[in-house]
Structure formats: C-alpha cells, structure tokens
Amino acid sequence: FRQRIWKWNFFVMKISDKKRGIMKVYEIEKILNEKLQKDLAMSWDNVGLLIGAKNNEVNRILLALELTESVLQEAIDKNINLILVHHPVIFSGLKRIIDTDNSLVYSLIANGIALYATHTNFDMIEDGLNDYFAKLLGATKITSIEDHENCRLLRIFEVPSISGVQFAKKIKSSLELDSIRAVGDLQKEISSVGLVTGAGFDYAELAIQNGADIYISGDLKYHQAMELKEKGILALDVGHFETEKIFAEAMESFIKKNIPELNTMKLFVSENEVAPIEFV
C-alpha cells in the first residue's frame, strides 16, 4: 500500500513539475534527440547532450549560436540551467579540463549548466535553420535537395522575379549587413535561389543543376570564386556567421511550433552573438 502511495505521489510531482516548467536534463535530452532528429547529423558532427548532469533540473534555457565567454556569463547571470547551441563546443578530443586554462567546458560543469548542440541535423530538418533563412528572404516554395551522401542540407526556393543586385540588397536589409561578397552577373534576373547556411559552397553546382539562378552561402574561397565566375554562376557569400546568427530565433520558432513540451520553459535568445571577424 505504501509503495502505491509513493508511486502516486511521484506521478503527481512529475505532472506538477511539468506544469511549472521544470524537467530533468535527461528528459529534455530525449525530447530534443527525437524532435531535432539527432541521427540525421553528418558522421563527422558532434551533436546532442555534450555536457551536463542528467538528473539536474531545468526550467531556463538559453539559445545561442555557440558557446563563448560572453554567452556563458549571460547564462550565469540569468540562472540558466541549459544552453542550446548550433556549433558544438567539443569537436576533437580534449587533452585536459582545468580551471586555470579559461576552459568553457570546466566553467559549464562548475556552474551546473548543461549544453546541448544541434548542428547539421538542424540545418537539414523541416523548419530548421535553412528553412527559416529561406522564409526570412520571402521564399514561396522550399525544396530540400539530397546530395550523394544522402544529406539534405541544400534548399532551393522560389522568390518573385528580381535582379541579382536587388536581391543582394534585400539580404543585406533582412540581416542588417553593411556588405556581402558577390561573384557573377548581378544584373541577371532571378526567381529560383539555392541556399546552404554556414560554409556551404561545395553545394553551389548542385544548386545550379537543380534549377537555382543564384546561390547563397558563406566562407567562399578564392579558387572556388574563380571557378564559379568562369562557369558563369551567380553567387553571394553572405558570410558564415551572418547566415547563422539567426540560429537562436530560428530555434525559438522551432520550439514554439514543434516542441510543445518545452513551451512551459523560460526560453532566452542570447543577446551576446558577436561576429569573430570585423571589417575595418
């Protein structure tokens, strides 16, 4: 009889916690693994729960492109329990984790803050980062294209007919940018756009093969640019950070639409997203 009462009280406490927006790290991990389709991530990627005590309670989540000292301090100041990022803080093997090394990993552990990363899987899924970016640019029809490795990073979407130069201005206005880099004939009329956020210029030709009039991504290298120019391909290098700085708002939108279990949580969009490169 006592065991039944204990089980019932535990069940009631669990329901009460969820109503108050409190969950355990392992519960959130399970939900995110499913909703963000963790298994879609590319083989070289490192996604999922990277740091944290699985039985710790969570009711405040910070959304950020990546973990930096300023983002970590923001999390501490706001009493955040879990940080949800795009770029994994751990990619290769760590040799040591010591407080005197100014280690972000050590600081997370010391402050009891968990960290979950969703990278290439969030680029691929419906309503993920690439779809959010496309909609920001007024996409009317979005198609995901599969590459030779069965990855669906590439998006092709339609926009009202516009010149390349006017479309570039639209991107600058939408992302509040002063400049972007361009290759090709900007006077060309376009209506179909290829896109991969981040560093995605390896997908430029696949985009053109699938009907794109223009291609958008970041981190365009010199020899890639020359090759695109020689082939008559119109492309815009918007920047790696610049195409992904909207991650936090994209994730907030995704959670509100697709993860009702987390809508009782207090979600914070980071106020400390800073580009690592400045133009002088």
Side-chain angles (χ1 to χ4, degrees):
F1 179 72
R2 287 181 178 177
Q3 189 177 18
R4 288 182 179 178
I5 291 177
W6 181 85
K7 286 182 178 179
W8 172 253
N9 287 338
F10 179 77
F11 176 71
V12 171
M13 287 173 61
K14 294 290 284 183
I15 293 177
S16 177
D17 282 348
K18 289 182 179 179
K19 284 184 178 180
R20 290 186 291 122
I22 299 175
M23 298 177 73
K24 296 291 184 72
V25 169
Y26 76 86
E27 293 176 310
I28 295 177
E29 176 192 20
K30 182 178 179 181
I31 292 169
L32 292 178
N33 285 350
E34 176 188 351
K35 299 290 188 176
L36 298 175
Q37 300 183 51
K38 176 177 178 285
D39 292 340
L40 273 184
M42 300 179 83
S43 59
W44 51 262
D45 209 354
N46 188 29
V47 301
L49 182 67
L50 303 186
I51 299 165
K54 291 202 172 190
N55 280 307
N56 279 3
E57 291 185 342
V58 175
N59 70 339
R60 300 168 73 86
I61 299 175
L62 179 65
L63 310 175
L65 175 60
E66 58 194 306
L67 184 68
T68 61
E69 288 186 23
S70 57
V71 168
L72 175 59
Q73 188 58 54
E74 179 182 3
I76 294 171
D77 293 341
K78 292 178 178 177
N79 296 315
I80 296 298
N81 316 112
L82 183 145
I83 304 175
L84 181 52
V85 297
H86 191 45
H87 292 156
V89 70
I90 302 173
F91 250 127
S92 55
L94 296 176
K95 300 295 184 181
R96 60 184 184 180
I97 302 173
I98 303 173
D99 60 342
T100 54
D101 286 350
N102 198 27
S103 168
L104 293 173
V105 174
Y106 179 91
S107 297
L108 281 174
I109 297 171
N111 286 280
I113 301 172
L115 184 132
Y116 189 102
T118 176
H119 193 205
T120 51
N121 53 317
F122 191 59
D123 291 328
M124 293 187 210
I125 61 176
E126 185 177 352
D127 290 329
L129 186 57
N130 279 305
D131 286 344
Y132 188 85
F133 189 97
K135 291 173 184 175
L136 191 67
L137 299 181
T140 55
K141 178 183 177 183
I142 305 174
T143 304
S144 62
I145 305 297
E146 191 172 284
D147 66 11
H148 65 284
E149 295 181 347
N150 301 318
C151 295
R152 289 185 169 272
L153 288 171
L154 176 61
R155 295 297 191 270
I156 304 292
F157 60 93
E158 304 299 319
V159 294
S161 184
I162 188 174
S163 70
V165 67
Q166 289 300 320
F167 190 61
K169 290 180 180 179
K170 179 180 178 64
I171 294 173
K172 290 198 296 180
S173 175
S174 298
L175 296 177
E176 299 180 347
L177 304 176
D178 293 327
S179 63
I180 56 180
R181 300 196 300 165
V183 173
D185 181 12
L186 283 170
Q187 302 307 316
K188 176 182 175 182
E189 287 290 315
I190 66 166
S191 60
S192 181
V193 182
L195 165 71
V196 173
T197 55
F201 269 97
D202 290 342
Y203 291 86
E205 290 195 46
L206 181 60
I208 302 304
Q209 291 167 11
N210 281 273
D213 301 315
I214 188 172
Y215 184 69
I216 304 170
S217 192
D219 288 350
L220 177 62
K221 298 177 181 178
Y222 173 83
H223 292 291
Q224 287 177 315
M226 186 60 72
E227 186 175 347
L228 292 175
K229 184 176 180 63
E230 289 298 304
K231 291 181 177 180
I233 295 174
L234 175 57
L236 300 177
D237 178 2
V238 181
H240 192 133
F241 171 83
E242 287 74 15
T243 58
E244 294 187 335
K245 68 177 184 176
I246 56 172
F247 166 79
E249 61 186 70
M251 178 55 69
E252 182 183 40
S253 174
F254 184 90
I255 289 173
K256 288 180 178 178
K257 183 177 180 180
N258 299 287
I259 315 182
E261 299 94 328
L262 298 187
N263 283 332
T264 56
M265 296 275 170
K266 292 183 179 179
L267 298 177
F268 298 85
V269 172
S270 177
E271 301 171 358
N272 287 281
E273 306 284 22
V274 180
I277 298 173
E278 292 184 35
F279 293 91
V280 296

